């Protein structure tokens, strides 16, 4: 490559234009090949681990809130302990069930395709207005201090009791 | 900004204007060159001859006395004559397309004829082009004090540029993140809201009225003469938005012979090679297409009247799900010269675009599908629910830029320019597919006028001053002002003055000051004063040392200030947002030289340092339980940029490479700013293999950002996964008579990268482009 460039002016003086062009072509393609060698293919799908699942039984007691304050009701499992309702935006660190039935004594849920890992704050949450962050917990998983683990290719079963007359504090008192 | 401060600034401005005019009036150079003292002054005459390098006469060469409107065109014997020149020392520019411009200084003595001879050498480089952005007047690229990159019409055509981002991706120091322009690390990523780069179209501010975003589509790509990218703060010249740089798009004039240009192009996106991705989209394994056609015609009907039209249409199936597009862009320009001293231009543009905008992916394991914020489980969007990571709209835009230039005398002329930029966005109903009304979308208008006075007392000195007013209003269902109105208003007034002095041997000094005031929320007036000073020293004809300092600011866009909505995503308005500001300093050395045999080498090395304050970013505010645009932090960005290009005679080959090192730091956290690559490299090469065939290659590299925005990654899966960008494009060009056929292989090595947070970059795609000119 160095030889080609340093001799370029000499070729030009003798009018060997085509030869000069190809002389320049060689280092160009050498550069391209070197670049190709440095390529690693870039972004790739992550290596997937077998999913787990979470299922549970929910029992209700107390007086249900008015229907107009029951915009939604779901089981939510969090991989962290929330400090504020703004933490509900951490959707990537939560597993959320489909909507639960309202005004019933008992219900169940199943969340599939859960990435294995630990969950530290989970329970049934009520959405009391249309606001995206208008959620509050109404009943928590209490076994083992509320902490459970989802293993690959296995189902973790939890139970929650919701007493609408005695709602759990939020943010959690331990925080 | 209080009223007292505004008055103080007005007084300061008045003082500076007075001082500058006084300087001009009492300067000896002015007295010799132009001022009519009441005594009869006998003029002189300049004669000359222009020849080719083989000493044959050169016909049709433009000869212009810089700083004046005196000039001539060489005849068939290469001769030219310029008469009635007042005594003094002047600089002459001799230029012809495809040839190295020649500059020389000459002196006119009363009642005498000065004779000069000029030889022009063939060249292919763009470095000697005349540019206008640096100080609102024409100047040579070599002597501009700031860093400027120029993309000419040939380069636009070579890369089949149909959107602005196609153009800018290979400009040194520029990093495009989907629809956000980032010059030397000035911008992170904010969905093209609140651009820190100002765009100008024929000198008119050209940012969308609602978000102050860069409009990538609505440009007459077949009628662009050149695009200049000015790096660093430039608000002293153009006001708000020029925080990190300015993009100036200059449209073509009118050719003496009619020209018609037809372009057909078709592109095929290659399916991704990973079945883990393609299996999750029905069309994931299909080849997807983009096709388009454009027609342009330009002509000068008479010496007084010319016009051009540029019509383009394209459809794009997109390489991502929910990313189709159909675009029509129409432009027209007329130029009328009713008298030798008056010129009127009118530029009209229209855009109609239907587009599914892919906002964010569904994670690194599902990059081709948009994600969803719908709370329906962790396995992706709920069945049958439209993904919230996409946005379907019909977008209509119109621009009307009339301008008038009136030459009062050889040393004084003024221009009056009007500008109207209207935008309407209508959402598309996801269930019915119907286009909804403007009331359900966004409507915005930016309309204003600018008057600029140019006083050229001598070829060594110039003054430019003017003022402008713009009404800016946007209405959207997402906006809410303090009074509860859905419309946001932000009228702006500005006045500016600048001077250029080059009477000192080989030194050119430019200074400027601009005052901007704008009304916020119908409640208060805020203002900015933007100074600028620059010096360039031509140590040799081919070597220039330069330094510049400038102030930049950006007034928050209406969208940033007034968006107030919780339907989809909780955002709270912030009418108290302050402007972002920047102070940038740059020094550099630039060399442009023709070597033996006609080879031209151009190199530029610059060191830059910019201090930003009150940067605006969207942040999650826990007390509001919502996001809000806030003045977050201050930061510094330092670095260096090096550009080298080498052009061979006769278009035999060309080679260029640019490297930019960016060191950014958040002053409060000490961490690098998010979404900034520390290393940017662009390289291009083209070789004429045979008389009608050439091959070319473009490469670009952007290192992995050191930091990403963690708030975005809270709810968008894998939004913090951004890798290094390493893209290589190849092209093969065949030209014969009026036809040119180009084959492009873009992203030739099928390297997968993240264009911006949660947005997969284009995989390998093949394109054929046919250009017919007659």
């Amino acid at each position: 490559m160095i030889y080609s460039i340093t001799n370029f002016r000499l070729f030009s003086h003798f009018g060997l234009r085509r030869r000069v062009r190809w002389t320049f072509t060689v280092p160009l393609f050498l550069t391209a090949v070197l670049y190709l060698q440095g390529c690693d293919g870039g972004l790739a799908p992550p290596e997937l681990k077998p999913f787990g699942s979470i299922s549970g039984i929910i029992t209700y007691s107390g007086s249900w809130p008015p229907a107009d304050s029951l915009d939604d009701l779901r089981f939510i499992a969090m991989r962290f302990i929330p400090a504020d309702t703004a933490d509900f935006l951490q959707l990537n660190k939560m597993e959320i069930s489909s909507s639960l039935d309202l005004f019933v004594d008992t219900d169940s849920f199943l969340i599939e395709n859960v990435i294995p890992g630990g969950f530290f704050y989970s329970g049934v949450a009520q959405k009391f207005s249309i606001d995206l962050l208008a959620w509050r917990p109404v009943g928590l998983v209490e076994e083992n201090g509320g902490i459970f683990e989802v293993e690959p290719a296995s189902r973790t079963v939890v139970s929650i009791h919701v007493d609408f007359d005695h709602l759990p504090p939020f943010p959690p008192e331990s925080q | 900004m209080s009223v007292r401060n505004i008055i103080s600034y007005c007084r300061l401005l008045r003082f500076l204007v007075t001082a500058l005019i006084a300087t001009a009036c009492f300067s000896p150079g002015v007295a010799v060159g132009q001022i009519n003292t009441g005594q009869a002054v006998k003029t002189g005459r300049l004669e000359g001859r222009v020849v080719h390098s083989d000493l044959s006469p050169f016909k049709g060469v433009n000869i212009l006395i810089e700083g004046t409107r005196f000039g001539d065109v060489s005849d068939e014997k290469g001769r030219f004559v310029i008469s009635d020149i007042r005594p003094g020392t002047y600089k002459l520019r001799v230029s012809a397309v495809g040839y190295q411009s020649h500059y020389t200084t000459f002196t006119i003595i009363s009642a005498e004829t000065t004779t000069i001879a000029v030889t022009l050498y063939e060249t292919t480089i763009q470095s000697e082009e005349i540019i206008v952005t640096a100080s609102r007047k024409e100047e040579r690229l070599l002597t501009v004090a700031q860093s400027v990159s120029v993309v000419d019409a040939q380069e636009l055509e070579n890369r089949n540029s149909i959107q602005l981002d196609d153009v800018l991706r290979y400009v040194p120091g520029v990093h495009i993140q989907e629809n956000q322009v980032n010059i030397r690390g000035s911008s992170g990523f904010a969905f093209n809201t609140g651009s820190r780069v100002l765009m100008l179209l024929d000198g008119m501010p050209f940012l969308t009225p609602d978000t102050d975003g860069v409009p990538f589509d609505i440009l007459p790509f077949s009628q662009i003469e050149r695009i200049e990218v000015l790096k660093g703060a430039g608000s002293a010249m153009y006001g708000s938005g020029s925080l990190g740089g300015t993009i100036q798009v200059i449209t073509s004039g009118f050719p003496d012979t009619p020209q018609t240009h037809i372009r057909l192009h078709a592109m095929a996106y290659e399916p991704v090679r990973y079945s883990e991705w393609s299996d999750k989209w029905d069309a994931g394994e299909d080849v997807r297409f983009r096709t388009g056609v454009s027609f342009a015609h330009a002509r000068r009907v008479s010496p007084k009247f010319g016009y051009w039209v540029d019509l383009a249409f394209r459809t794009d199936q997109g390489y991502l799900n929910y990313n189709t597009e159909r675009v029509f862009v129409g432009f027209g320009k007329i130029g009328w010269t009713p008298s030798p001293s008056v010129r009127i231009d009118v530029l009209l543009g229209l855009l109609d675009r239907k587009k599914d905008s892919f906002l964010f992916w569904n994670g690194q394991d599902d990059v081709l599908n948009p994600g969803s914020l719908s709370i329906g489980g962790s396995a992706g969007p709920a069945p049958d629910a439209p993904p919230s990571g996409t946005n379907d709209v019909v977008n209509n835009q119109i621009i009307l830029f009339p301008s008038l230039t009136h030459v009062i005398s050889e040393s004084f002329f003024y221009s009056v320019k009007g500008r109207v930029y209207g935008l309407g966005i209508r959402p598309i109903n996801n269930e019915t597919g119907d286009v909804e009304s403007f009331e359900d979308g966004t409507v915005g208008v930016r309309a204003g006028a600018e008057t600029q006075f140019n006083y050229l007392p001598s070829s060594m000195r110039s003054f430019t001053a003017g003022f402008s007013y713009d009404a800016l209003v946007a209405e959207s269902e997402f906006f809410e002002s303090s009074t509860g109105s859905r419309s946001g208003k932000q009228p702006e007034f500005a006045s500016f003055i600048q001077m250029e002095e080059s009477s000192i041997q080989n030194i050119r000094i430019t200074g400027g000051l601009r005052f901007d005031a704008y009304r916020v929320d119908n409640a208060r007036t805020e203002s900015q004063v933007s100074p600028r000073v620059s010096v360039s020293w031509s140590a040799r004809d081919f070597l220039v040392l330069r330094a510049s300092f400038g102030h930049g600011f950006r007034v928050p866009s209406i969208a940033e200030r007034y968006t107030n909505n919780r339907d989809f995503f909780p955002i709270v308005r912030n009418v108290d947002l302050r402007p972002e500001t920047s102070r940038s300093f740059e020094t550099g050395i630039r060399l442009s030289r023709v070597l033996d045999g006609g080879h031209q080498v151009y190199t530029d090395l610059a060191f830059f340092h910019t201090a930003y304050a009150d940067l605006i970013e969207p942040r999650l505010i826990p007390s509001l339980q919502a996001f809000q645009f806030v003045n977050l932090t201050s930061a510094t960005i330092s670095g260096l940029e090096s550009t080298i290009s080498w052009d061979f005679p006769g278009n035999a080959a060309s080679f260029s490479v640019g490297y930019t090192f960016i060191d950014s730091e958040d002053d409060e956290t000490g961490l690098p700013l998010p979404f900034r690559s520390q290393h940017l490299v662009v390289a291009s090469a083209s070789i004429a293999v045979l008389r009608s065939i050439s091959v070319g290659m473009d490469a670009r590299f952007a290192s992995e950002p050191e930091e990403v925005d963690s708030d975005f990654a809270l709810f968008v899966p894998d939004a913090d996964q951004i890798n290094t960008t390493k893209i290589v494009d190849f092209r093969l060009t065949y030209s014969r008579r009026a036809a040119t056929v180009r084959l492009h292989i873009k992203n030739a090595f099928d390297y997968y990268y993240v264009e911006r947070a949660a947005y997969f970059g284009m995989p390998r795609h093949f394109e054929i482009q046919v250009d017919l000119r007659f």
Side-chain angles (χ1 to χ4, degrees), chain B residues 130-134 148-151 226-230 246-250:
Chain B
I130 302 303
I131 61 168
V132 295
T133 49
V148 185
S149 295
V150 179
V151 182
R226 64 184 184 274
I227 295 176
E228 303 160 4
V229 180
L230 181 67
T246 307
I247 300 168
Q248 164 84 295
V249 178
I250 298 165

Side-chain angles (χ1 to χ4, degrees), chain B residues 432-453:
Chain B
T432 65
D434 295 337
V435 179
E436 297 178 348
S437 69
F438 286 115
E439 286 188 355
D440 298 318
T442 301
V443 177
V445 175
R446 183 190 298 272
E450 175 182 298
T451 301
Q452 178 175 317
F453 303 96

Side-chain angles (χ1 to χ4, degrees), chain B residues 195-414:
Chain B
S195 172
R196 292 183 183 135
V197 174
L198 175 64
M199 183 168 165
L200 303 166
L201 177 58
D202 282 344
M204 307 283 195
F206 194 43
L207 295 177
T208 54
D210 55 343
T211 63
D212 278 356
V214 174
F216 279 72
D217 283 332
I218 182 166
L219 286 174
F221 281 96
S222 293
Q223 294 297 330
I224 290 176
E225 185 176 303
R226 64 184 184 274
I227 295 176
E228 303 160 4
V229 180
L230 181 67
K231 299 160 191 174
S235 292
M237 290 169 285
Y238 295 109
S240 175
S242 187
L243 202 69
T246 307
I247 300 168
Q248 164 84 295
V249 178
I250 298 165
T251 62
S252 302
F254 313 106
D256 291 332
T257 55
Q259 292 181 0
T260 300
H261 179 198
I262 296 174
R263 174 179 296 179
L264 306 168
H265 59 95
M267 176 193 284
Y269 300 105
E270 183 176 313
V272 294
R273 59 178 176 271
Y274 295 118
S275 60
E276 293 94 325
W277 290 340
S278 57
D279 287 349
K280 291 174 180 168
W281 176 26
D282 292 342
E285 295 183 355
D286 298 343
V287 176
R288 311 272 289 180
F289 294 97
R290 184 181 79 180
T291 56
V293 59
S294 67
F295 168 85
H297 180 73
R299 69 186 306 171
R300 183 179 293 282
V301 179
S302 71
K304 291 186 174 181
F305 184 76
Y307 74 89
W308 56 251
V309 293
D310 184 358
L311 308 172
F313 176 79
R314 73 170 187 273
T315 62
D316 190 353
Q317 292 182 312
Y319 63 98
L320 302 171
N321 196 5
Y322 290 97
N323 200 29
T324 61
E325 184 180 39
R326 184 216 64 207
V327 183
F328 167 78
V329 181
F331 264 87
K333 182 179 177 181
I334 59 170
W336 179 40
T337 310
S339 74
S341 62
V342 176
R343 178 185 174 86
I344 296 171
D345 289 291
V346 179
L347 180 68
L348 172 69
L350 299 166
L351 175 136
D352 179 76
R353 179 179 61 206
K354 182 181 179 187
K355 182 178 176 66
D356 293 344
S357 296
F358 189 106
L359 301 179
F360 54 85
W361 66 19
N362 196 33
Q364 193 179 343
D365 60 340
D366 189 12
V367 299
L368 304 179
N369 284 306
S372 177
L373 291 182
S374 304
I375 299 176
S378 62
D384 302 326
S388 50
T390 183
N391 181 27
D392 306 345
V393 296
V394 171
N395 189 317
N396 298 106
Q397 298 179 31
I398 180 170
I399 67 161
L400 180 64
F401 291 171
S403 67
L404 178 147
T405 301
H406 184 195
V407 180
I408 303 293
S409 71
E410 64 193 50
S411 60
F412 181 76
F413 66 97
Y414 69 91

Side-chain angles (χ1 to χ4, degrees), chain A residues 5 8-9 12-13 17-18 20-22 24-25 28-29 31-33 35-36 38-46 48 51 72 74 76 84-87 89-99 111-115 127 130-135, chain B residues 273-274 276-277 361 364-365 367 373 375-379 566 568 570 595-596 599 620 622 625-627 646 648-650 652-655 685 687-690 697 700-701 713-718 723 725-728 730 749-754 760:
Chain A
I5 291 175
F8 179 82
R9 192 179 291 180
S12 178
H13 279 302
R17 197 165 165 180
R18 181 172 296 178
V20 167
R21 287 177 198 161
W22 288 111
F24 189 70
T25 306
L28 176 71
F29 281 98
T31 306
V33 170
Y35 194 93
L36 178 61
C39 287
D40 55 7
L43 195 74
L48 293 178
F51 288 125
D72 204 351
R74 294 171 188 258
I76 298 176
D84 189 89
T85 52
D87 278 342
L89 273 172
Q90 300 190 46
L91 298 175
N92 291 333
K93 296 182 179 177
M94 297 191 284
E95 301 294 339
I96 303 168
S97 76
S98 54
S99 294
I111 307 175
E112 294 184 303
N113 299 323
V114 175
I115 297 172
K127 189 166 186 278
I130 60 169
D131 194 301
L132 187 68
L133 296 176
W135 290 88
Chain B
R273 59 178 176 271
Y274 295 118
E276 293 94 325
W277 290 340
W361 66 19
Q364 193 179 343
D365 60 340
V367 299
L373 291 182
I375 299 176
S378 62
R566 287 177 179 269
F568 162 69
L595 305 176
D596 293 344
H599 300 268
L620 180 63
Q625 296 189 2
F627 281 82
W646 181 10
F648 292 61
S654 64
F655 173 78
I687 304 157
V689 180
L690 298 171
M697 182 192 81
R700 56 190 165 96
F701 170 90
L714 288 177
F715 52 91
V716 173
D718 302 320
N723 62 334
T725 301
K726 292 190 284 188
I727 305 299
V728 177
F730 291 111
F749 299 135
D750 208 20
Y751 179 84
Y752 294 155
Y753 65 105
V754 179
F760 184 63

Side-chain angles (χ1 to χ4, degrees), chain B residues 518-526 561 575-578:
Chain B
Y518 52 95
R519 187 84 175 150
V520 178
D521 202 30
N522 284 326
R524 66 181 193 277
T525 300
E526 297 191 354
R561 203 185 287 279
V575 296
D576 296 324
L577 272 178
R578 299 183 302 277

Side-chain angles (χ1 to χ4, degrees), chain B residues 6-85:
Chain B
I6 295 171
I7 294 170
S8 300
Y9 284 127
C10 288
R11 285 175 176 165
L12 175 64
L13 196 63
R14 189 173 61 186
F15 169 76
L16 286 168
V17 171
T18 306
L20 289 170
I21 291 173
T23 304
C25 292
F26 293 104
S27 160
V30 173
V32 171
Q34 299 296 334
I35 296 295
N36 185 350
T37 60
Q39 298 173 354
V41 177
K42 289 188 177 179
T43 58
R45 171 185 167 99
L46 177 69
E47 288 183 0
R49 186 164 182 256
V50 190
V51 295
H52 290 281
S53 55
D54 61 0
L55 301 183
S56 61
F58 200 149
K59 179 188 174 185
V61 175
N62 291 306
I63 294 99
L64 181 71
I65 300 176
E66 285 206 314
T68 77
R69 305 186 77 80
F70 279 108
D72 195 12
V73 178
S74 61
D75 61 18
E76 62 275 3
K77 293 183 179 178
R79 298 186 185 281
F80 63 89
V81 177
I82 304 175
S83 304
D84 298 327
I85 309 171

Side-chain angles (χ1 to χ4, degrees), chain B residues 307-608:
Chain B
Y307 74 89
W308 56 251
V309 293
D310 184 358
L311 308 172
F313 176 79
R314 73 170 187 273
T315 62
D316 190 353
Q317 292 182 312
Y319 63 98
L320 302 171
N321 196 5
Y322 290 97
N323 200 29
T324 61
E325 184 180 39
R326 184 216 64 207
V327 183
F328 167 78
V329 181
F331 264 87
K333 182 179 177 181
I334 59 170
W336 179 40
T337 310
S339 74
S341 62
V342 176
R343 178 185 174 86
I344 296 171
D345 289 291
V346 179
L347 180 68
L348 172 69
L350 299 166
L351 175 136
D352 179 76
R353 179 179 61 206
K354 182 181 179 187
K355 182 178 176 66
D356 293 344
S357 296
F358 189 106
L359 301 179
F360 54 85
W361 66 19
N362 196 33
Q364 193 179 343
D365 60 340
D366 189 12
V367 299
L368 304 179
N369 284 306
S372 177
L373 291 182
S374 304
I375 299 176
S378 62
D384 302 326
S388 50
T390 183
N391 181 27
D392 306 345
V393 296
V394 171
N395 189 317
N396 298 106
Q397 298 179 31
I398 180 170
I399 67 161
L400 180 64
F401 291 171
S403 67
L404 178 147
T405 301
H406 184 195
V407 180
I408 303 293
S409 71
E410 64 193 50
S411 60
F412 181 76
F413 66 97
Y414 69 91
S415 59
V416 181
K417 299 178 176 179
R419 49 205 183 209
V420 178
Y421 182 9
L423 170 146
I425 300 173
R426 291 171 290 167
I428 299 173
N429 189 300
N430 281 317
E431 295 177 358
T432 65
D434 295 337
V435 179
E436 297 178 348
S437 69
F438 286 115
E439 286 188 355
D440 298 318
T442 301
V443 177
V445 175
R446 183 190 298 272
E450 175 182 298
T451 301
Q452 178 175 317
F453 303 96
N454 302 275
Y455 177 47
L456 315 168
S458 76
S459 63
M460 307 293 183
R461 184 172 297 129
S462 70
F463 296 92
T464 304
F467 53 87
S468 66
Y469 175 81
D470 287 277
L472 178 62
V473 60
E475 182 174 318
S476 171
E477 65 169 349
F478 299 114
F479 298 163
E480 185 178 338
S481 70
S482 298
T483 59
S485 166
R486 288 180 46 188
S487 66
K489 298 174 183 172
Q490 208 156 266
E492 300 170 5
F493 168 79
S495 61
F496 55 88
I497 183 168
Q498 3 192 72
M499 84 171 257
E500 183 182 308
E501 176 72 48
S502 55
S503 57
I504 305 172
Q505 186 72 22
N506 296 329
I507 293 179
R508 189 163 150 272
I509 302 171
T510 307
L513 195 65
R514 180 176 168 119
F515 171 80
D516 286 84
Y518 52 95
R519 187 84 175 150
V520 178
D521 202 30
N522 284 326
R524 66 181 193 277
T525 300
E526 297 191 354
S527 65
Q528 286 282 317
V529 175
S530 306
R532 167 182 176 254
V533 63
S534 63
V535 180
S536 64
W537 174 44
S538 301
R540 298 282 188 277
D541 286 345
F542 56 87
L543 181 68
V544 172
L545 303 175
R546 58 193 178 83
S548 65
F549 167 81
H551 176 269
F553 74 96
R554 183 181 74 83
V555 178
S557 67
I558 287 177
E560 289 168 291
R561 203 185 287 279
Y562 296 112
T563 300
N564 198 57
N565 192 278
R566 287 177 179 269
D567 290 349
F568 162 69
F569 195 73
I571 300 180
V572 173
R573 68 168 180 257
N574 185 0
V575 296
D576 296 324
L577 272 178
R578 299 183 302 277
E580 300 175 310
T581 61
S582 70
R583 285 174 287 121
S584 67
F585 173 76
E586 177 181 350
T587 184
I589 182 168
R590 188 179 285 137
L591 181 149
S592 176
R593 188 159 201 193
V594 180
L595 305 176
D596 293 344
H599 300 268
Q600 183 148 5
V601 175
Y602 173 85
T603 181
D604 189 22
L605 176 65
F607 298 88
F608 57 88

